[in-house]
C-alpha cells in the first residue's frame, strides 16, 4: 500500500477537530508539497513572461514552459507539438468543438456522444449541432452501466463525424472499451475525442498507442493546479484547424489587413500563459511517476474494493454501475434519504463526499434518479478513511429516523 498522506499538507489539518477524510478526489484532487513547492520555487526564481523577454530570466521562464510541455507529452505518449495547454478539460473540448467541429460538421451529419458524459463533453456538441444542423446521437449504457460494442455499432454510422466519450465516467467509474470504440469510429471515417479527466489519475495512457484523434484532461484532477488543462490532438489535425482564441503570442505576422498564425501548438495558446499551472502540472506528473504507476493502481484497487465490499454489507444502499473494474468512484443512494442530507451527515463526521447530479443530468435521468452521492478516491486514501466513511454511512438512516 502507498503511504503518501504525509505529502499532502491539507490532510494534516483536522476538519472540525476530526481527521479529514477526503473522498471527493474526482471533483478535484488535493495537492502534495512537491506541487505546491514547485509553484513557489518558480515564482521565487524563474518568473517572467515566456516567449517575450530576450533577457536571461525571460529565457528561463520559456524553458520552464517548454519543459512542462515535454513532460506532459512523454507522460501521455505524444509529441511535444501535439500538446496544447488550455485552462481545463472543458476548454479543451470547446476548442475542438468550435474549431474542428464548426469546420468539419455539416447538416445531415451525426455527432455521437455517450449519455454518461459529463456536461462538458455534451453541451459544446449540442451547440455545434444546433449551429450546423447536425444531429447528436446518444450511446446508452446497458443495465450494468457498460457501453457495449453492440451499442457502439448501432449508434456510430457512416453519418458520424466525431465520437466523444469519457474514458472513465465520473459517475459510474467504469472504463469504456476504447479500442473497440476507436476501431468502430475509424472504420466509418469518424474522429474520436476521449475525455480522460477521470481516467488519467488512475492509470497510464499512451495516446499514440490508443490511436484517438483528440484527448482532453485537467491538471487539477491529476494532483496538479487548477486552471491548467491539456488538449492532445494528432499533429495533422491540429495543423489543419483554425485558432480558437486570438491575440498575442499565437500569431506569425500581423498587418493592418490581417494575421498569420504561429505553428501548432502555439497558435492555440493566445495571451500570457499559465506558467505556474504548467510548472505545477509537471511537478505532479513527476511526483506520480516517482510513486510508480503499478503501485498507484494496486493501492487504489485495494481501497475501492475494500469500500465496495463494506458498502454492500450496509442495508438500503443502492450502488450505481456494476463492472469488474471500477476506477476511483462509487456513486450511491441511501434509501429514503436525500443525497444532500447524506453528504451533510457524513460531513459532520469529517467525511467529504459529493452530492448532486455530478454534471451528468442525462445519465441521472437514464438511471431513474435525480441525484446521488459519490465517494471518490485518490492515492492518499487509506483503509482508515474507508472505515470512517462506512461507520458514518451505516448510521445515516437511523439518524434520519428510519431505523437501520
Ligand atoms: C469526465 C469529466 N469530464 C470533464 C470534466 C470537467 O473538468 P473541468 O471542470 O476541469 O473542465 C469533469 C469534471 O468533473 C469530468 O469528470
Amino acid at each position: 500500500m502507498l503511504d503518501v498522506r504525509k505529502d499532502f499538507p491539507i490532510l494534516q489539518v483536522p476538519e472540525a477537530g476530526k481527521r479529514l477524510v477526503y473522498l471527493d478526489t474526482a471533483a478535484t484532487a488535493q495537492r502534495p508539497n512537491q506541487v505546491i513547492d514547485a509553484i513557489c520555487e518558480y515564482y521565487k526564481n524563474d518568473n517572467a513572461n515566456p516567449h517575450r523577454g530576450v533577457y536571461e530570466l525571460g529565457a528561463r521562464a520559456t524553458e520552464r514552459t517548454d519543459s512542462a510541455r515535454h513532460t506532459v507529452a512523454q507522460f501521455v505518449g505524444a509529441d511535444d507539438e501535439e500538446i496544447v495547454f488550455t485552462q481545463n478539460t472543458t476548454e479543451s473540448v470547446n476548442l475542438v468543438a468550435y474549431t474542428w467541429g464548426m469546420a468539419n460538421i455539416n447538416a445531415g451529419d451525426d455527432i455521437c456522444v455517450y449519455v454518461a458524459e459529463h456536461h462538458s463533453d455534451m453541451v459544446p456538441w449540442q451547440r455545434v449541432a444546433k449551429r450546423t444542423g447536425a444531429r447528436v446521437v446518444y450511446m446508452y449504457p446497458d443495465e450494468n452501466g457498460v457501453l457495449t460494442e453492440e451499442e457502439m455499432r448501432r449508434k456510430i454510422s457512416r453519418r458520424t463525424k466525431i465520437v466523444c466519450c469519457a474514458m472513465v465516467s465520473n459517475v459510474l467509474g467504469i472504463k469504456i472499451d476504447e479500442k473497440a470504440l476507436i476501431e468502430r469510429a475509424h472504420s466509418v471515417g469518424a474522429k474520436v475525442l476521449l475525455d480522460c479527466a477521470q481516467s488519467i489519475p488512475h492509470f497510464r495512457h499512451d495516446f499514440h498507442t490508443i490511436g484517438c484523434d483528440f484527448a482532453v484532461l485537467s491538471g487539477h484532477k491529476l494532483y496538479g493546479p487548477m486552471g491548467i488543462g491539456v488538449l492532445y490532438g494528432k499533429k495533422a489535425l491540429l495543423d489543419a484547424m483554425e485558432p480558437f482564441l486570438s491575440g498575442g503570442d499565437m500569431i506569425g505576422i500581423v498587418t493592418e489587413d490581417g494575421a498569420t498564425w504561429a505553428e501548432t501548438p502555439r497558435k492555440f495558446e493566445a495571451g500570457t500563459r499559465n506558467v505556474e499551472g504548467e510548472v505545477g502540472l509537471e511537478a505532479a506528473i513527476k511526483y506520480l511517476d516517482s510513486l510508480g504507476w503499478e503501485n498507484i493502481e494496486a493501492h487504489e484497487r485495494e481501497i475501492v474494493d475494500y469500500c465496495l465490499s463494506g458498502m454492500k454489507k450496509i442495508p438500503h444502499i443502492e450502488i450505481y454501475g456494476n463492472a469488474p473494474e471500477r476506477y476511483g468512484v462509487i456513486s450511491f443512494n441511501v434509501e429514503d434519504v436525500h443525497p444532500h442530507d447524506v453528504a451533510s451527515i457524513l460531513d459532520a463526521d469529517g467525511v467529504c463526499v459529493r452530492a448532486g447530479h455530478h454534471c451528468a443530468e442525462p445519465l441521472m435521468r437514464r438511471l431513474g434518479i435525480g441525484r446521488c452521492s459519490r465517494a471518490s478516491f485518490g492515492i492518499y486514501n487509506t483503509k482508515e478513511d474507508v472505515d470512517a466513511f462506512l461507520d458514518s454511512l451505516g448510521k445515516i438512516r437511523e439518524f434520519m429516523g428510519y431505523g437501520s
Side-chain angles (χ1 to χ4, degrees):
M1 297 290 287
L2 293 173
D3 177 20
V4 298
R5 199 178 156 93
K6 59 185 180 317
D7 292 337
F8 292 80
I10 204 168
L11 300 180
Q12 315 309 317
V13 183
E15 189 73 358
K18 298 188 181 70
R19 181 179 198 271
L20 174 61
V21 177
Y22 187 73
L23 301 185
D24 200 17
T25 295
T28 196
Q30 297 301 345
R31 311 325 183 241
N33 280 316
Q34 288 80 348
V35 169
I36 299 166
D37 292 349
I39 295 169
C40 290
E41 178 266 328
Y42 164 72
Y43 276 123
K44 285 179 185 166
N45 298 307
D46 293 333
N47 179 51
N49 206 325
H51 303 135
R52 285 168 176 77
V54 288
Y55 46 86
E56 162 68 25
L57 186 60
R60 284 215 301 279
T62 302
E63 266 167 36
R64 296 301 301 262
T65 144
D66 290 348
S67 164
R69 195 188 308 277
H70 184 64
T71 300
V72 171
Q74 295 289 300
F75 176 59
V76 297
D79 297 332
D80 291 14
E81 315 86 75
E82 295 174 316
I83 299 299
V84 179
F85 283 123
T86 61
Q87 282 189 68
N88 47 38
T89 300
T90 304
E91 189 190 331
S92 300
V93 176
N94 276 275
L95 193 163
V96 178
Y98 288 105
T99 56
W100 188 90
M102 289 306 293
N104 291 282
I105 295 171
N106 298 300
D109 291 338
D110 284 353
I111 301 167
C112 194
V113 176
Y114 187 27
V115 84
E117 288 316 294
H118 191 278
H119 295 159
S120 301
D121 304 327
M122 198 177 275
V123 180
W125 295 111
Q126 290 175 342
R127 296 185 73 200
V128 168
K130 219 167 223 160
R131 282 167 67 170
T132 57
R135 183 174 70 152
V136 179
V137 171
Y138 292 98
M139 295 182 287
Y140 296 110
D142 70 6
E143 62 285 359
N144 289 317
V146 174
L147 174 59
T148 62
E149 271 192 68
E150 197 191 347
E151 176 70 353
M152 294 173 193
R153 272 197 305 278
R154 227 187 338 254
K155 300 294 171 60
I156 302 171
S157 74
R158 297 233 158 256
R159 289 171 58 137
T160 311
K161 281 288 173 314
I162 190 160
V163 181
C164 192
C165 204
M167 188 87 139
V168 167
S169 150
N170 67 317
V171 175
L172 302 171
I174 296 173
K175 181 174 160 296
I176 57 150
D177 180 347
E178 76 281 4
K179 194 162 175 279
L181 184 88
I182 291 168
E183 255 171 42
R184 173 65 186 163
H186 286 176
S187 75
V188 295
K191 303 287 180 245
V192 175
L193 183 153
L194 282 184
D195 173 353
C196 300
Q198 293 296 344
S199 56
I200 200 81
H202 301 302
F203 52 89
R204 282 302 296 263
H205 297 50
D206 185 312
F207 293 149
H208 282 171
T209 308
I210 291 172
C212 52
D213 301 285
F214 300 104
V216 295
L217 59 103
S218 292
H220 70 97
K221 298 194 195 281
L222 191 62
Y223 308 92
M226 289 188 177
I228 186 76
V230 172
L231 163 66
Y232 158 82
K234 283 183 177 162
K235 176 77 166 34
L237 287 172
L238 293 178
D239 282 345
M241 281 156 58
E242 283 290 301
F244 181 38
L245 302 175
S246 46
D249 217 31
M250 51 71 71
I251 46 85
I253 296 167
V254 183
T255 65
E256 289 189 23
D257 296 326
T260 60
W261 314 137
E263 296 288 301
T264 305
R266 280 185 54 198
K267 74 171 172 187
F268 297 109
E269 296 175 344
T272 296
R273 317 213 36 72
N274 175 7
V275 185
E276 72 161 72
E278 296 166 15
V279 164
L281 178 57
E282 178 174 37
I285 291 170
K286 288 186 170 169
Y287 171 71
L288 294 167
D289 281 348
S290 77
L291 300 178
W293 283 90
E294 278 176 19
N295 299 329
I296 291 172
E297 279 190 53
H299 176 88
E300 292 186 345
R301 199 173 303 122
E302 191 161 342
I303 293 294
V304 170
D305 288 351
Y306 181 67
C307 189
L308 259 181
S309 67
M311 287 175 78
K312 284 178 183 163
K313 288 183 199 135
I314 303 175
H316 308 290
I317 305 272
E318 187 172 10
I319 296 170
Y320 302 104
N322 178 26
E325 284 249 70
R326 184 186 280 270
Y327 293 89
V329 305
I330 305 176
S331 293
F332 63 96
N333 269 315
V334 179
E335 203 181 311
D336 301 321
V337 186
H338 193 283
H340 285 173
D341 291 329
V342 170
S344 300
I345 296 167
L346 289 169
D347 183 43
D349 285 334
V351 180
C352 311
V353 301
R354 170 117 182 243
H357 54 58
H358 310 287
C359 298
E361 288 193 64
L363 175 64
M364 293 290 124
R365 271 183 218 112
R366 189 83 193 162
L367 293 171
I369 54 176
R371 298 125 230 272
C372 62
S373 302
R374 178 185 73 186
S376 59
F377 305 88
I379 51 175
Y380 32 65
N381 290 122
T382 60
K383 287 190 174 167
E384 201 180 340
D385 288 341
V386 175
D387 289 339
F389 165 64
L390 294 174
D391 191 43
S392 189
L393 186 66
K395 293 190 290 210
I396 287 178
R397 273 180 54 90
E398 205 173 336
F399 180 86
M400 295 295 287
Y402 290 108
S404 53

